[in-house]
Structures are given as C-alpha cells and as structure tokens.
Amino acid sequence: MTLRCEIFPHDLDAVVDFYIRVLGFRVTQDERDDPEPYVALQRGSVQIGALARAALADPAARRPPAGTELVLEVDDVTAERGRVAAAGWPLEADLLHQSWGLTDFRILDPAGYYLRITSRAK
C-alpha cells in the first residue's frame, strides 16, 4: 500500500513552485491548462495531487487540531531543514526532538497545509 494525498489550493502555481523549489518534488503530471487545473507531484514514494479550487474563507481551518497535518518522513531531517531555510521559506516550528523519539520541524505550504517534516522511526 502507498499513500497519495490530494490538496486543493487556490494558487496552483505557488503550490507547484513550493513543492519543487523548497521540498524537491518533481512534476509527474501537469494539466494546468485544463478546465479543472491539476498537477501531480512526487518525491520518492510520496505523491501529492493538487487540484485548483476557490480560496478558503479561513485557510487556518486546514491546520491542526481541526485540519490535517501531513507528515513527511526523511532520512536526514537536519538537511531538509537546511533545504527549506536555503529556499527562504519560513518555519512554523524549528527542529525539535520530540518525546516520542523523533526530531521534526513544521512549515505551512502556500495553501495553508500544515507539514511536519520528521526523521524516520527506527
């Protein structure tokens, strides 16, 4: 089993730029010129589909505890944090070693989706 997430941003171009430039994803399908603009992105086994939709009245509704937290596991969380910082992207929470044994940091994508980038469980 694998997991593919679908997100629904207002500004599809900003989301595509973020996932490519900041997080190192690649585009696997680009239908931005279609009547229902859609882009598929992938990095490793992580797949994210983005379908353009109207802006939310309150983008904060996407954040926990009522919204969703997308958790991305990486081999080197410190290097990922460096990649995000080098891209000039703001952190919601910096690197922190959690009580459950993993280290993570948190960011928001341009559409307001809350991402936790974490070390892998051993």
Side-chain angles (χ1 to χ4, degrees):
M1 183 181 300
T2 59
L3 175 67
R4 183 177 76 198
C5 298
E6 297 283 337
I7 60 175
F8 304 94
H10 170 66
D11 187 341
L12 193 54
D13 291 331
V15 164
V16 170
D17 174 67
F18 167 80
Y19 281 94
I20 291 171
R21 185 176 55 82
V22 178
L23 294 183
F25 280 70
R26 65 183 176 85
V27 173
T28 59
Q29 182 178 350
D30 192 337
E31 298 175 1
R32 280 182 267 189
D33 293 331
D34 285 5
E36 290 207 2
Y38 175 84
V39 176
L41 301 138
Q42 184 171 359
R43 180 173 164 190
S45 63
V46 177
Q47 297 179 64
I48 298 176
L51 182 62
R53 290 290 187 247
L56 286 179
D58 181 12
R62 290 191 165 132
R63 294 184 63 166
T68 301
E69 178 178 77
L70 300 174
V71 180
L72 302 171
E73 294 179 328
V74 296
D75 292 326
D76 186 343
V77 71
T78 303
E80 286 298 322
R81 191 250 182 240
R83 172 200 290 266
V84 170
W89 201 261
L91 303 178
E92 286 294 300
D94 208 343
L95 284 172
L96 182 63
H97 185 73
Q98 301 293 347
S99 60
W100 52 86
L102 302 178
T103 300
D104 62 44
F105 67 98
R106 289 121 197 275
I107 58 178
L108 291 173
D109 80 2
Y113 288 97
Y114 192 77
L115 306 176
R116 175 169 34 117
I117 302 176
T118 186
S119 55
R120 293 187 190 280
K122 296 186 188 219

